[in-house]
Amino acid sequence: MRILIANDDGFRSPGLAALHDALSAIADCVVVAPDRDRSGASNSLTLTRPLRAHRQANGFIAVEGTPTDCVHLAINGFLDEPPDMVVSGVNAGANMGDDVHYSGTVAAAMEGRFLGLTAIAVSLASDGVPEHFATAARVARELIEALAGREQPAHIVNVNVPDRPYASLAGWRTTRLGNRHKSEPVIPTHDPRGRPCYWIGAPGPEQDAGEGTDFHAVAAGCVSVTPLGADMTRYEAMPAMREWITACARG
Ligand code: MN
């Protein structure tokens, strides 16, 4: 098996190294990651300038681009043989609920899916400075080993792992996305030259974090595994939408 490993925290991230360590035991791995922290990049592609890739001493390839650029470039560009799977992470921080729309970690996996591959995103859900990347990396390895011979049931598998030693995990849960309240306000400040500038505020606290959600599983110390689809169509809204459109046509 050949695995393409990517992330959004950049090629120096400890989560990337932990994932590479764990997956190298079960597959041929190639690592292609942004040259800096591109968290929050979502599914962005760089379309206004050329992309350069730099092979590092440890074999990792650092790309001057987004997480999506990395996966796109690797699969459609410089890899001689396509991988069987894209695994993204281990992200330094959770990607749960609404986070998945902003996440570069999930986006890197999604790009793998768009290019026809099995895709897994792995994040370490930490309250403070993330520590137990090895736990999340081992979870990823076990998930991939258990997938052997099975049809992947989702477009993207989004995994969030509590930040604790592996032996302290309370179990595994199949979950749905919860959601958050709206984000904290933007923080206005001034730069040293007195010009106004702004920091994007923190994500909002959990709103839907009940039983069955990713938030709930992680709070209970469990690995959260959410099957995601790339199709954002809201099917249950289609009848009301048709009525609306009919009213337009009559007008
Ligand atoms: Mn990140």
Side-chain angles (χ1 to χ4, degrees), residues 111-126:
E111 187 65 8
R113 165 65 198 184
F114 287 152
L115 297 172
L117 304 178
T118 295
I120 300 174
V122 189
S123 301
L124 187 60
S126 180

Side-chain angles (χ1 to χ4, degrees), residues 7-140:
N7 78 352
D8 76 354
D9 292 335
F11 74 98
R12 291 188 179 89
S13 144
L16 187 70
L19 192 58
H20 180 252
D21 285 347
L23 300 188
S24 292
I26 58 165
D28 289 335
C29 296
V30 54
V31 179
V32 184
D35 65 346
R36 67 198 74 180
D37 186 354
R38 300 302 301 265
S39 294
S42 189
N43 299 86
S44 52
L45 279 171
T46 300
L47 302 174
T48 52
R49 58 178 174 81
L51 291 167
R52 292 176 208 282
H54 307 280
R55 185 177 290 274
Q56 307 298 307
N58 65 357
F60 292 8
I61 297 169
V63 172
E64 297 173 7
T66 66
T68 301
D69 288 332
C70 291
V71 173
H72 195 93
L73 216 64
I75 296 173
N76 278 346
F78 53 68
L79 288 188
D80 294 332
E81 264 187 85
D84 302 296
M85 182 182 296
V86 174
V87 185
S88 177
V90 172
N91 190 59
N95 278 303
M96 301 191 285
D98 313 326
D99 302 341
V100 302
H101 293 286
Y102 299 93
S103 168
T105 306
V106 174
M110 194 177 291
E111 187 65 8
R113 165 65 198 184
F114 287 152
L115 297 172
L117 304 178
T118 295
I120 300 174
V122 189
S123 301
L124 187 60
S126 180
D127 294 329
V129 178
E131 192 182 341
H132 297 97
F133 288 105
T135 301
R138 180 167 167 186
V139 161

